[in-house]
Amino acid sequence: MPRQVWGEPDAVPVGSDVTLEAVLMVDGAISPTRITSSGVYSVSIENTSLPVQPILTDELSDAVTASSGLIRWDITSAQTSSWPAGIFGGDIKLVDSGGKITYWPVSLRIRSVID
């Protein structure tokens, strides 16, 4: 089976399943007491070219490892359309068990294939 490549014009083609992972830090350090597995994590990212379109909207995390700060999202083709190559802005949001909200700003870079 040939290797699947994500290249132009669609860096992540329609029908693809992808995994996003982020290591969250507070003041430059992993903080297991503040990056908690008891909270609700979501990610929202938008395509800022005109017209602005959401790529992901409030996608809930699939796994949280508080000790390493690792948060994972398994994105399926049912949750997203194709993503063109580019840099897209968004936020990771945590609503902890006490209702406190914390945001981490993110940029998602989707590159075209490099041969």
Side-chain angles (χ1 to χ4, degrees):
M1 181 175 195
R3 177 174 71 102
Q4 179 182 359
V5 294
W6 292 345
E8 304 220 44
D10 295 320
V12 179
V14 171
S16 295
D17 295 339
V18 297
T19 297
L20 301 177
E21 292 184 338
V23 175
L24 301 182
M25 298 182 156
V26 176
D27 295 328
I30 294 170
S31 175
T33 59
R34 293 195 42 205
I35 299 170
T36 172
S37 57
S38 65
V40 176
Y41 292 85
S42 61
V43 62
S44 298
I45 299 173
E46 65 184 13
N47 178 348
T48 55
S49 61
L50 296 176
V52 174
Q53 297 174 335
I55 292 175
L56 297 172
T57 304
D58 296 326
E59 291 294 339
L60 299 180
S61 64
D62 293 289
V64 177
T65 308
S67 60
S68 64
L70 181 67
I71 314 297
R72 189 186 83 235
W73 293 267
D74 295 320
I75 307 299
T76 68
S77 58
Q79 295 166 288
T80 184
S81 59
S82 62
W83 299 355
I87 298 176
F88 308 101
D91 292 293
I92 296 171
K93 176 182 173 183
L94 163 64
V95 180
D96 71 16
S97 57
K100 179 182 175 189
I101 299 175
T102 304
Y103 289 96
W104 286 266
V106 295
S107 290
L108 177 65
R109 180 173 185 238
I110 304 295
R111 67 172 179 81
S112 55
V113 68
I114 299 172
D115 284 331

